[in-house]
Amino acid sequence: WVDVRDGRFAETTDLPPVSSDDGYDGRVAWNRDQKRLVWNAGGDSERSAEINQAFLESYGLHRPNMGGAAVKWLGTKDQGGTAYDGLSIQPPGSLVPFELWFDAASHLPVRARFVNGFTTQTTALSDYRRVQGLNVAHAVHVDSSDGNNADIVVTGVTFDAANAATAFARPATHPTDFSIRGGKTSTTIPIAI
């Protein structure tokens, strides 16, 4: 879920037994683990990473005044016979800039590089298709130095979805961090004082 108007986003991973969610509601960056425990991203590095992701996914660079970001030209480089133009972008509220590289021929973003503490993540964007006038990458490949790599295939794009407000809100904590053998819901433990 991405709100291109204000940068809010939420993403969900549900690959049993692993599930997780994270997002940015415009004020707070949050995470939810597979035990359904929700916490706010408290550190500057983690918060900056979420703000950077929100800025990229909401096309923040295309807003008036480049969305208020500090933008620096990184020059042009050639890789495998293809020319790329690079920018360093530091969105408002982020303490860490990220790099965004564009295909010099199509002018579409093809690579983003994020440094978050000791972790470097490179996101490759491809298979752009126009959806209601907006170029949307339908293939995303993420390489992370922590081994948390991913391939994402976009199968549909919906504008102004009816349940978007719920999706963007920071969820409540409903932990499922215990179980009792045999599916029971209670037990008795004798103690002596």
Side-chain angles (χ1 to χ4, degrees):
W1 295 87
V2 178
D3 190 325
V4 296
R5 293 170 291 231
D6 60 16
R8 294 177 300 161
F9 79 92
E11 56 189 359
T12 301
T13 302
D14 192 9
L15 301 167
V18 177
S19 65
S20 66
D21 308 274
D22 69 285
Y24 177 67
D25 68 4
R27 292 180 312 102
V28 175
W30 55 269
N31 294 280
R32 179 167 52 181
D33 65 16
Q34 61 194 33
K35 298 293 186 180
R36 314 302 288 166
L37 180 65
V38 180
W39 69 93
N40 293 345
D44 290 338
S45 181
E46 188 177 17
R47 179 171 165 73
S48 292
E50 297 292 347
I51 291 170
N52 289 349
Q53 182 178 350
F55 189 86
L56 175 64
E57 291 185 1
S58 67
Y59 300 85
L61 195 59
H62 302 287
R63 292 192 202 125
N65 194 30
M66 295 178 288
V71 179
K72 295 179 185 171
W73 172 249
L74 295 176
T76 300
K77 70 176 179 178
D78 185 81
Q79 186 174 358
T82 303
Y84 298 97
D85 298 319
L87 296 176
S88 171
I89 302 168
Q90 188 169 346
S94 174
L95 300 176
V96 182
F98 70 96
E99 294 178 9
L100 186 58
W101 291 87
F102 298 83
D103 181 297
S106 71
H107 307 293
L108 292 171
V110 292
R111 181 162 298 143
R113 184 175 178 268
F114 305 92
V115 178
N116 183 12
F118 297 109
T119 305
T120 299
Q121 177 182 304
T122 302
T123 301
L125 308 161
S126 62
D127 189 18
Y128 278 93
R129 301 178 201 168
R130 289 189 69 75
V131 181
Q132 293 186 15
L134 184 67
N135 282 318
V136 178
H138 279 65
V140 180
H141 176 74
V142 179
D143 274 321
S144 181
S145 61
D146 66 2
N148 193 11
N149 302 334
D151 283 300
I152 301 163
V153 176
V154 175
T155 58
V157 177
T158 303
F159 290 90
D160 296 322
N163 53 348
T166 302
F168 292 128
R170 180 190 181 277
T173 292
H174 297 290
T176 56
D177 56 357
F178 72 93
S179 62
I180 300 173
R181 182 181 247 170
K184 295 183 181 180
T185 58
S186 66
T187 190
T188 303
I189 302 172
I191 59 171
I193 299 176

